[in-house]
Amino acid sequence: MYHPLTNVNPEAKIAEGVIIEPFATIQKNVEIGEGTWIGPNAVIMEGARIGKNCKIFPGAVISAVPQDLKFVGEETTTVIGDNTIIRECVTINRGTQANWETRVGNNCLIMSYVHLGHDCVIGNNCVIAGYSGLSGHVIVDDWAILGGFCAVQQFMHIGSHTYIAGGALVRKDIPPFTKAAREPISYVGINSVGLQRRGFTNEQISKIQEIYRYIYLKDLSVSNALELIEKELPQTPERDEILSFIRNSKTGIMKGIGREED
């Protein structure tokens, strides 16, 4: 259902049941799935691919041209999954030829005034609180939560089931299942409350805690800690995810409180 005061390009592909409120703008080369609501004054720009049952609140700008001097007009996209909520004045830039798309998964909540830069990849069930800014090429895995006013440097990787405190400056990768806070960004424990809410057993949580004791509390280098974890601790999906994440980190992981970076 379109309000008479909307501006919808005839080339846009709008599914049944989409509601577009007054003064919203939908440009060409846009696809919007069934049941999605586009609020007043939202701007959906070229390359947007928005899933089903999403809510795009007033003032949001989806799929704007990347803020990257290397961008030369290549045809790229912004992909938004199903059931995702994008609140007021969020800005999401489309991809560049480095990755060809910016992506936000299913069931996410992107709160007011968040900025997601070009080529970011946000997983499913993530929450990014208001006024946070993610530079280009940031990866955020499933179930991560970022508090308000977080600033994330380009090319960072934030692991699954993490919690990052509001106001954090993220200049190192954040391994899965952890809580991060302070300046410089540091390990402050595992996200036990979040894990409990998502059905992790006490045994699973205890094993994750033991893994991070090796990494952050035993006065070992990261490389030595990983070797000992592999030798001494039982194989579990969570252990393998942590080992893989840290070994594939290109920028290094956050340090422990009071420790120098390895």
Side-chain angles (χ1 to χ4, degrees), residues 166-196:
L169 305 179
V170 181
R171 295 174 288 211
K172 289 289 183 180
D173 290 347
I174 310 299
F177 315 114
T178 61
K179 293 187 296 187
R182 304 187 183 228
E183 171 57 26
I185 194 79
S186 303
Y187 170 80
V188 294
I190 71 162
N191 185 18
S192 55
V193 173
L195 295 175
Q196 289 169 350

mmCIF file of all heavy atoms in Angstrom, residues 166-196:
data_model
loop_
_atom_site.group_PDB
_atom_site.id
_atom_site.type_symbol
_atom_site.label_atom_id
_atom_site.label_comp_id
_atom_site.label_asym_id
_atom_site.label_seq_id
_atom_site.Cartn_x
_atom_site.Cartn_y
_atom_site.Cartn_z
ATOM 1 N N GLY A 166 28.825 -0.262 26.141
ATOM 2 C CA GLY A 166 28.601 1.014 25.494
ATOM 3 C C GLY A 166 29.819 1.927 25.586
ATOM 4 O O GLY A 166 30.544 1.935 26.585
ATOM 5 N N GLY A 167 30.051 2.680 24.520
ATOM 6 C CA GLY A 167 31.160 3.611 24.484
ATOM 7 C C GLY A 167 32.504 2.997 24.172
ATOM 8 O O GLY A 167 33.521 3.709 24.192
ATOM 9 N N ALA A 168 32.550 1.715 23.857
ATOM 10 C CA ALA A 168 33.830 1.053 23.594
ATOM 11 C C ALA A 168 34.411 1.486 22.251
ATOM 12 O O ALA A 168 33.683 1.738 21.290
ATOM 13 C CB ALA A 168 33.647 -0.463 23.617
ATOM 14 N N LEU A 169 35.731 1.560 22.209
ATOM 15 C CA LEU A 169 36.464 1.788 20.968
ATOM 16 C C LEU A 169 37.076 0.453 20.555
ATOM 17 O O LEU A 169 37.980 -0.054 21.226
ATOM 18 C CB LEU A 169 37.561 2.837 21.173
ATOM 19 C CG LEU A 169 37.113 4.180 21.744
ATOM 20 C CD1 LEU A 169 38.314 5.105 21.920
ATOM 21 C CD2 LEU A 169 36.070 4.830 20.844
ATOM 22 N N VAL A 170 36.572 -0.129 19.476
ATOM 23 C CA VAL A 170 36.955 -1.491 19.098
ATOM 24 C C VAL A 170 38.032 -1.417 18.030
ATOM 25 O O VAL A 170 37.762 -1.126 16.868
ATOM 26 C CB VAL A 170 35.735 -2.287 18.602
ATOM 27 C CG1 VAL A 170 36.140 -3.713 18.243
ATOM 28 C CG2 VAL A 170 34.642 -2.299 19.672
ATOM 29 N N ARG A 171 39.282 -1.677 18.459
ATOM 30 C CA ARG A 171 40.422 -1.629 17.553
ATOM 31 C C ARG A 171 41.160 -2.947 17.504
ATOM 32 O O ARG A 171 42.258 -3.052 16.966
ATOM 33 C CB ARG A 171 41.367 -0.499 17.970
ATOM 34 C CG ARG A 171 40.728 0.883 17.813
ATOM 35 C CD ARG A 171 41.597 1.981 18.368
ATOM 36 N NE ARG A 171 41.606 1.943 19.827
ATOM 37 C CZ ARG A 171 41.741 3.031 20.594
ATOM 38 N NH1 ARG A 171 41.877 4.220 20.033
ATOM 39 N NH2 ARG A 171 41.748 2.937 21.897
ATOM 40 N N LYS A 172 40.556 -3.979 18.087
ATOM 41 C CA LYS A 172 41.059 -5.348 18.020
ATOM 42 C C LYS A 172 39.865 -6.281 17.831
ATOM 43 O O LYS A 172 38.722 -5.938 18.145
ATOM 44 C CB LYS A 172 41.793 -5.727 19.310
ATOM 45 C CG LYS A 172 43.133 -5.023 19.484
ATOM 46 C CD LYS A 172 44.170 -5.550 18.517
ATOM 47 C CE LYS A 172 45.520 -4.911 18.727
ATOM 48 N NZ LYS A 172 46.536 -5.429 17.790
ATOM 49 N N ASP A 173 40.123 -7.481 17.318
ATOM 50 C CA ASP A 173 39.051 -8.462 17.163
ATOM 51 C C ASP A 173 38.561 -8.931 18.530
ATOM 52 O O ASP A 173 39.342 -9.041 19.487
ATOM 53 C CB ASP A 173 39.546 -9.656 16.349
ATOM 54 C CG ASP A 173 39.773 -9.325 14.887
ATOM 55 O OD1 ASP A 173 39.330 -8.252 14.439
ATOM 56 O OD2 ASP A 173 40.403 -10.151 14.180
ATOM 57 N N ILE A 174 37.257 -9.239 18.601
ATOM 58 C CA ILE A 174 36.610 -9.645 19.852
ATOM 59 C C ILE A 174 36.212 -11.118 19.720
ATOM 60 O O ILE A 174 35.293 -11.450 18.983
ATOM 61 C CB ILE A 174 35.359 -8.787 20.136
ATOM 62 C CG1 ILE A 174 35.676 -7.285 20.010
ATOM 63 C CG2 ILE A 174 34.801 -9.140 21.513
ATOM 64 C CD1 ILE A 174 36.721 -6.772 20.960
ATOM 65 N N PRO A 175 36.902 -12.033 20.412
ATOM 66 C CA PRO A 175 36.622 -13.471 20.239
ATOM 67 C C PRO A 175 35.217 -13.858 20.698
ATOM 68 O O PRO A 175 34.591 -13.171 21.517
ATOM 69 C CB PRO A 175 37.691 -14.139 21.102
ATOM 70 C CG PRO A 175 38.761 -13.126 21.281
ATOM 71 C CD PRO A 175 38.042 -11.806 21.308
ATOM 72 N N PRO A 176 34.707 -14.992 20.203
ATOM 73 C CA PRO A 176 33.343 -15.433 20.520
ATOM 74 C C PRO A 176 33.120 -15.633 22.014
ATOM 75 O O PRO A 176 34.037 -15.962 22.764
ATOM 76 C CB PRO A 176 33.219 -16.777 19.783
ATOM 77 C CG PRO A 176 34.314 -16.796 18.784
ATOM 78 C CD PRO A 176 35.398 -15.925 19.296
ATOM 79 N N PHE A 177 31.878 -15.409 22.434
ATOM 80 C CA PHE A 177 31.368 -15.729 23.772
ATOM 81 C C PHE A 177 31.892 -14.796 24.871
ATOM 82 O O PHE A 177 31.678 -15.053 26.049
ATOM 83 C CB PHE A 177 31.682 -17.179 24.165
ATOM 84 C CG PHE A 177 31.417 -18.191 23.095
ATOM 85 C CD1 PHE A 177 32.461 -18.901 22.512
ATOM 86 C CD2 PHE A 177 30.127 -18.437 22.646
ATOM 87 C CE1 PHE A 177 32.220 -19.836 21.512
ATOM 88 C CE2 PHE A 177 29.883 -19.371 21.655
ATOM 89 C CZ PHE A 177 30.932 -20.069 21.077
ATOM 90 N N THR A 178 32.574 -13.720 24.512
ATOM 91 C CA THR A 178 33.211 -12.877 25.519
ATOM 92 C C THR A 178 32.452 -11.586 25.762
ATOM 93 O O THR A 178 31.599 -11.178 24.976
ATOM 94 C CB THR A 178 34.646 -12.518 25.099
ATOM 95 O OG1 THR A 178 34.614 -11.789 23.863
ATOM 96 C CG2 THR A 178 35.500 -13.763 24.947
ATOM 97 N N LYS A 179 32.801 -10.920 26.870
ATOM 98 C CA LYS A 179 32.397 -9.541 27.138
ATOM 99 C C LYS A 179 33.624 -8.653 26.995
ATOM 100 O O LYS A 179 34.728 -9.020 27.425
ATOM 101 C CB LYS A 179 31.821 -9.405 28.549
ATOM 102 C CG LYS A 179 30.510 -10.119 28.770
ATOM 103 C CD LYS A 179 29.911 -9.798 30.128
ATOM 104 C CE LYS A 179 30.782 -10.297 31.263
ATOM 105 N NZ LYS A 179 30.119 -10.131 32.589
ATOM 106 N N ALA A 180 33.415 -7.485 26.394
ATOM 107 C CA ALA A 180 34.520 -6.559 26.147
ATOM 108 C C ALA A 180 34.148 -5.185 26.673
ATOM 109 O O ALA A 180 33.010 -4.735 26.506
ATOM 110 C CB ALA A 180 34.832 -6.493 24.660
ATOM 111 N N ALA A 181 35.108 -4.515 27.291
ATOM 112 C CA ALA A 181 34.857 -3.173 27.837
ATOM 113 C C ALA A 181 36.193 -2.482 28.044
ATOM 114 O O ALA A 181 37.246 -3.001 27.714
ATOM 115 C CB ALA A 181 34.081 -3.276 29.153
ATOM 116 N N ARG A 182 36.145 -1.294 28.600
ATOM 117 C CA ARG A 182 37.292 -0.482 28.998
ATOM 118 C C ARG A 182 38.019 0.109 27.790
ATOM 119 O O ARG A 182 37.663 -0.128 26.644
ATOM 120 C CB ARG A 182 38.258 -1.272 29.882
ATOM 121 C CG ARG A 182 37.570 -1.862 31.128
ATOM 122 C CD ARG A 182 38.569 -2.484 32.070
ATOM 123 N NE ARG A 182 37.897 -3.099 33.198
ATOM 124 C CZ ARG A 182 38.243 -2.925 34.463
ATOM 125 N NH1 ARG A 182 39.236 -2.115 34.769
ATOM 126 N NH2 ARG A 182 37.592 -3.536 35.439
ATOM 127 N N GLU A 183 39.036 0.905 28.101
ATOM 128 C CA GLU A 183 39.889 1.528 27.087
ATOM 129 C C GLU A 183 41.349 1.377 27.518
ATOM 130 O O GLU A 183 41.724 1.858 28.587
ATOM 131 C CB GLU A 183 39.524 3.010 26.925
ATOM 132 C CG GLU A 183 40.458 3.828 26.073
ATOM 133 C CD GLU A 183 40.652 3.304 24.663
ATOM 134 O OE1 GLU A 183 39.752 2.620 24.127
ATOM 135 O OE2 GLU A 183 41.709 3.583 24.098
ATOM 136 N N PRO A 184 42.182 0.691 26.758
ATOM 137 C CA PRO A 184 41.836 0.045 25.484
ATOM 138 C C PRO A 184 40.930 -1.166 25.702
ATOM 139 O O PRO A 184 40.881 -1.724 26.793
ATOM 140 C CB PRO A 184 43.202 -0.369 24.926
ATOM 141 C CG PRO A 184 44.070 -0.519 26.130
ATOM 142 C CD PRO A 184 43.617 0.516 27.101
ATOM 143 N N ILE A 185 40.227 -1.560 24.646
ATOM 144 C CA ILE A 185 39.239 -2.640 24.734
ATOM 145 C C ILE A 185 39.887 -3.901 25.311
ATOM 146 O O ILE A 185 40.969 -4.302 24.886
ATOM 147 C CB ILE A 185 38.605 -2.899 23.352
ATOM 148 C CG1 ILE A 185 37.342 -3.761 23.473
ATOM 149 C CG2 ILE A 185 39.589 -3.469 22.360
ATOM 150 C CD1 ILE A 185 36.129 -3.031 23.915
ATOM 151 N N SER A 186 39.221 -4.509 26.302
ATOM 152 C CA SER A 186 39.824 -5.612 27.052
ATOM 153 C C SER A 186 38.788 -6.682 27.365
ATOM 154 O O SER A 186 37.585 -6.420 27.439
ATOM 155 C CB SER A 186 40.411 -5.093 28.370
ATOM 156 O OG SER A 186 41.357 -4.077 28.152
ATOM 157 N N TYR A 187 39.296 -7.881 27.599
ATOM 158 C CA TYR A 187 38.473 -9.009 28.036
ATOM 159 C C TYR A 187 38.044 -8.785 29.484
ATOM 160 O O TYR A 187 38.884 -8.540 30.362
ATOM 161 C CB TYR A 187 39.289 -10.286 27.925
ATOM 162 C CG TYR A 187 38.661 -11.514 28.549
ATOM 163 C CD1 TYR A 187 37.676 -12.222 27.878
ATOM 164 C CD2 TYR A 187 39.094 -11.982 29.795
ATOM 165 C CE1 TYR A 187 37.111 -13.361 28.434
ATOM 166 C CE2 TYR A 187 38.535 -13.115 30.361
ATOM 167 C CZ TYR A 187 37.547 -13.802 29.675
ATOM 168 O OH TYR A 187 36.991 -14.931 30.229
ATOM 169 N N VAL A 188 36.729 -8.862 29.743
ATOM 170 C CA VAL A 188 36.230 -8.712 31.114
ATOM 171 C C VAL A 188 35.373 -9.909 31.528
ATOM 172 O O VAL A 188 34.580 -9.820 32.454
ATOM 173 C CB VAL A 188 35.449 -7.387 31.285
ATOM 174 C CG1 VAL A 188 36.374 -6.199 31.131
ATOM 175 C CG2 VAL A 188 34.284 -7.289 30.312
ATOM 176 N N GLY A 189 35.533 -11.032 30.859
ATOM 177 C CA GLY A 189 34.790 -12.238 31.197
ATOM 178 C C GLY A 189 34.061 -12.795 29.989
ATOM 179 O O GLY A 189 34.169 -12.273 28.880
ATOM 180 N N ILE A 190 33.348 -13.883 30.208
ATOM 181 C CA ILE A 190 32.526 -14.419 29.124
ATOM 182 C C ILE A 190 31.086 -13.943 29.294
ATOM 183 O O ILE A 190 30.664 -13.556 30.388
ATOM 184 C CB ILE A 190 32.603 -15.958 29.025
ATOM 185 C CG1 ILE A 190 31.887 -16.633 30.194
ATOM 186 C CG2 ILE A 190 34.036 -16.444 28.920
ATOM 187 C CD1 ILE A 190 31.586 -18.082 29.902
ATOM 188 N N ASN A 191 30.360 -13.985 28.219
ATOM 189 C CA ASN A 191 28.982 -13.486 28.212
ATOM 190 C C ASN A 191 28.044 -14.563 28.747
ATOM 191 O O ASN A 191 27.179 -15.083 28.040
ATOM 192 C CB ASN A 191 28.608 -13.077 26.781
ATOM 193 C CG ASN A 191 27.241 -12.429 26.707
ATOM 194 O OD1 ASN A 191 26.688 -11.972 27.716
ATOM 195 N ND2 ASN A 191 26.685 -12.379 25.501
ATOM 196 N N SER A 192 28.207 -14.897 30.018
ATOM 197 C CA SER A 192 27.478 -16.032 30.594
ATOM 198 C C SER A 192 25.969 -15.801 30.622
ATOM 199 O O SER A 192 25.188 -16.729 30.377
ATOM 200 C CB SER A 192 27.992 -16.340 32.000
ATOM 201 O OG SER A 192 27.922 -15.184 32.816
ATOM 202 N N VAL A 193 25.540 -14.576 30.903
ATOM 203 C CA VAL A 193 24.099 -14.301 30.934
ATOM 204 C C VAL A 193 23.498 -14.495 29.548
ATOM 205 O O VAL A 193 22.459 -15.139 29.375
ATOM 206 C CB VAL A 193 23.829 -12.882 31.460
ATOM 207 C CG1 VAL A 193 22.347 -12.531 31.321
ATOM 208 C CG2 VAL A 193 24.265 -12.755 32.914
ATOM 209 N N GLY A 194 24.143 -13.946 28.531
ATOM 210 C CA GLY A 194 23.653 -14.129 27.170
ATOM 211 C C GLY A 194 23.632 -15.587 26.754
ATOM 212 O O GLY A 194 22.685 -16.043 26.107
ATOM 213 N N LEU A 195 24.661 -16.328 27.130
ATOM 214 C CA LEU A 195 24.714 -17.742 26.772
ATOM 215 C C LEU A 195 23.599 -18.524 27.460
ATOM 216 O O LEU A 195 22.966 -19.397 26.842
ATOM 217 C CB LEU A 195 26.080 -18.320 27.132
ATOM 218 C CG LEU A 195 27.271 -17.742 26.352
ATOM 219 C CD1 LEU A 195 28.581 -18.299 26.892
ATOM 220 C CD2 LEU A 195 27.141 -18.038 24.867
ATOM 221 N N GLN A 196 23.340 -18.232 28.723
ATOM 222 C CA GLN A 196 22.246 -18.900 29.423
ATOM 223 C C GLN A 196 20.913 -18.623 28.754
ATOM 224 O O GLN A 196 20.080 -19.526 28.577
ATOM 225 C CB GLN A 196 22.213 -18.450 30.879
ATOM 226 C CG GLN A 196 23.364 -18.981 31.714
ATOM 227 C CD GLN A 196 23.457 -18.299 33.079
ATOM 228 O OE1 GLN A 196 22.773 -17.305 33.343
ATOM 229 N NE2 GLN A 196 24.315 -18.824 33.939
#
